[in-house]
Amino acid sequence: MSKQRLIKYFFLVFILVSYAGLVLFSISSNKEALQKDSYWAWYRNYVAQAPKGAYVNTGSEKKPIAL
């Protein structure tokens, strides 16, 4: 096998491994972002602040029900 062909294969393998690494990193970071966004959406919609602390409101704003 010629030296030039070996170098081409090396760069091809390097590019494929780099691409696979970037895809895996992107998937893992998106999963974390989705979990954080879901939590904060839940928190904004269901956790109510009161003078003595916070509670989970399972009712409506007009008629709160503490969980």
Side-chain angles (χ1 to χ4, degrees):
M1 192 180 289
S2 71
K3 199 173 192 179
Q4 189 177 21
R5 193 170 187 175
L6 187 62
I7 291 173
K8 285 181 182 179
Y9 283 132
F10 173 76
F11 281 118
L12 179 65
V13 169
F14 177 75
I15 289 170
L16 290 175
V17 169
S18 298
Y19 178 74
L22 286 172
V23 167
L24 291 174
F25 175 75
S26 176
I27 289 170
S28 68
S29 64
N30 283 340
K31 188 183 291 185
E32 291 172 10
L34 181 62
Q35 288 174 341
K36 287 179 186 177
D37 290 344
S38 297
Y39 170 77
W40 286 112
W42 171 83
Y43 186 87
R44 283 190 305 271
N45 290 322
Y46 293 104
V47 177
Q49 300 295 327
K52 293 185 180 182
Y55 64 94
V56 177
N57 181 10
T58 58
S60 64
E61 275 188 45
K62 295 179 182 178
K63 190 174 182 183
I65 299 171
L67 178 66

